[in-house]
Amino acid sequence: MLAYLPQLIAAYFVGITCTLTIEGPKEIIYRVSIIDLCGWVIYLLCMEYFHFSTTLSTYFSGLVIAGMSHWFARRYHHPVTVFFIPGFFTLVPGGGMYRTAFYLFDGQMRRGFEELSATLFIALAIALAVFTVDSFVSIMNGQKTLKFIRPTLRRRRKTAGATAQSRERAHQEHIEATKNNWHHFH
């Protein structure tokens, strides 16, 4: 395990550097680095000790990173993306994209497409891990519909038996509310 110590130290500093790069809050820099470190430990365990594929190792590591990101976001009262982005930085297949472009420009089409498919599967594993944890957190919180849909459903239920004029008024109120809350979605 001592052979992996430089990788673990590097993963910790990647978390610090990426948090500084995205201008994350200063008080969470070291906490984000812990997420990065734990994700990399799981990745190494899956690769070296359980002999999983790179894609499957990335998925399990992504589950840990996404889960810890949600937990830290609630614990330290910051948006979950502040923890997600630096946390996944060590797993993003940048080298695979580089090799894909290199092989394709070099004329080695077969190797280029092999690298491309491996890179896309790794990216899919990251996305699937985020989706899995987000869905699990939504279910655990009792959220049945998306947050930005819920107010619309309430208004529709309220105006189900109303007259055409009151439905039009409710529709105009909904448009105004959407305009006022538009900045929450972007």
Side-chain angles (χ1 to χ4, degrees):
M1 191 63 175
L2 208 54
Y4 299 116
L5 190 60
Q7 288 187 38
L8 298 178
I9 292 170
Y12 185 80
F13 283 108
V14 164
I16 291 172
T17 306
C18 188
T19 306
L20 292 173
T21 302
I22 66 166
E23 297 178 3
K26 302 269 187 258
E27 65 270 10
I28 65 163
I29 290 174
Y30 300 109
R31 294 173 181 142
V32 171
S33 299
I34 292 170
I35 294 172
D36 228 348
L37 179 66
C38 290
W40 195 248
V41 165
I42 297 300
Y43 180 81
L44 288 177
L45 285 174
C46 289
M47 288 291 288
E48 299 298 324
Y49 292 104
F50 299 118
H51 305 291
F52 290 160
S53 67
T54 305
T55 305
L56 200 54
S57 300
T58 302
Y59 176 70
F60 287 127
S61 179
L63 287 175
V64 169
I65 291 170
M68 287 182 73
S69 295
H70 274 281
W71 179 46
F72 278 35
R74 281 156 185 73
R75 172 106 168 82
Y76 299 113
H77 307 289
H78 287 285
V80 73
T81 52
V82 173
F83 296 98
F84 265 161
I85 295 170
F88 281 107
F89 209 73
T90 53
L91 298 180
V92 172
M97 286 308 296
Y98 171 80
R99 286 188 298 276
T100 298
F102 177 78
Y103 290 139
L104 291 176
F105 285 127
D106 196 38
Q108 301 177 32
M109 295 299 185
R110 185 170 177 265
R111 285 186 76 181
F113 284 116
E114 286 173 0
E115 280 292 331
L116 179 64
S117 67
T119 302
L120 290 177
F121 276 116
I122 291 170
L124 180 65
I126 293 170
L128 188 59
V130 170
F131 177 75
T132 303
V133 171
D134 281 349
S135 298
F136 179 75
V137 168
S138 292
I139 290 168
M140 293 305 291
N141 289 336
Q143 180 178 326
K144 303 227 180 339
T145 57
L146 296 172
K147 288 181 182 178
F148 62 89
I149 294 176
R150 278 190 255 156
T152 306
L153 290 176
R154 277 192 222 118
R155 282 191 201 94
R156 285 188 185 156
R157 287 185 197 130
K158 193 187 300 182
T159 60
T163 63
Q165 290 176 339
S166 60
R167 270 190 294 230
E168 180 63 30
R169 187 173 53 245
H171 179 69
Q172 291 300 324
E173 289 173 5
H174 170 69
I175 290 173
E176 289 301 316
T178 304
K179 286 179 186 174
N180 292 339
N181 294 327
W182 187 252
H183 67 278
H184 291 295
F185 304 120
H186 293 287

